Amino acid sequence: MTQRFIQAVNDRKLNAVRIALINSLNSNPTGDEFNEMLEYANARLDDLFEENKEAYYDIIPEDEWNVDFMDKVANDLEMNFSVEKLAFYKAVIEKVRANDIVSIRTRNASNHEPFSDNRRNRVKKVGITVATGGAVLTVVGICKGISLLTLIGSAILIGGVTIAIKSTIRK
């Protein structure tokens, strides 16, 4: 959230706040920054949203939504900033820009430290749990004389141990 947006909210510049929210969704369709901005503005501006009015465009089937339709929805939202139109715009963005959302999320995930200490501990616990389950299956398979269960249990045990060890040595 930019200082400019915060100032627009504090100065009660509704049009600037609304445009910034629309542009935020368009520039980052994941909605991550948008959600933070919307929460901030909505908590401080009791008149952020207008009463919903009829759209000036025809709603087309979802499988026909494209960038041109998305732009029409955005333009209509600028003219009538209602909760309903904002929710619809968000849905259209998520459909039309689905590939962009995946790309952004993938890029963001690769830019972060892959294994924080907290995540490393969670992964290690999962590995230990999987290994324990594999050990139980192996023992049951041996006791019952079921070789397939013994093999599956052993594979799970090895997988769990591998997960636990790798989570410990990752940097």
Side-chain angles (χ1 to χ4, degrees):
M1 188 165 33
T2 66
Q3 187 60 40
R4 186 176 180 184
F5 178 77
I6 292 169
Q7 192 62 50
V9 171
N10 292 340
D11 292 345
R12 303 192 52 78
K13 295 182 178 177
L14 287 176
N15 199 38
V17 170
R18 292 168 177 164
I19 298 294
L21 286 165
I22 294 168
N23 289 341
S24 173
L25 259 181
N26 193 30
S27 65
N28 182 351
T30 64
D32 296 338
E33 182 183 39
F34 165 81
N35 291 333
E36 179 184 0
M37 292 169 65
L38 179 60
E39 184 179 321
Y40 182 84
N42 199 31
R44 289 160 180 80
L45 300 171
D46 56 349
D47 55 349
L48 178 62
F49 292 103
E50 301 171 307
E51 183 181 327
N52 190 41
K53 297 177 184 167
E54 187 175 336
Y56 76 91
Y57 58 89
D58 292 326
I59 306 289
I60 59 176
E62 187 175 337
D63 62 336
E64 295 177 22
W65 291 356
N66 57 29
V67 173
D68 290 336
F69 180 69
M70 184 180 74
D71 290 341
K72 286 179 185 178
V73 174
N75 290 335
D76 188 51
L77 179 60
E78 284 181 33
M79 292 187 293
N80 178 221
F81 199 83
S82 68
V83 171
E84 297 85 354
K85 287 187 175 157
L86 182 60
F88 184 63
Y89 179 60
K90 194 168 186 210
V92 172
I93 287 251
E94 288 170 356
K95 170 78 174 171
V96 173
R97 305 225 16 231
N99 291 337
D100 294 334
I101 292 170
V102 170
S103 296
I104 291 168
R105 292 213 187 277
T106 302
R107 183 175 60 242
N108 287 347
S110 68
N111 288 338
H112 290 89
E113 173 64 30
F115 280 88
S116 65
D117 287 339
N118 193 18
R119 182 169 180 220
R120 183 174 292 130
N121 289 335
R122 287 192 317 258
V123 171
K124 185 176 181 179
K125 286 178 185 177
V126 167
I128 291 169
T129 303
V130 169
T132 303
V136 169
L137 286 177
T138 302
V139 170
V140 169
I142 291 170
C143 291
K144 295 284 186 175
I146 305 172
S147 58
L148 182 59
L149 187 59
T150 304
L151 288 173
I152 292 171
S154 299
I156 293 171
L157 172 63
I158 291 168
V161 170
T162 303
I163 291 169
I165 290 171
K166 282 188 174 183
S167 72
T168 303
I169 60 175
R170 287 209 185 209
K171 295 186 178 182

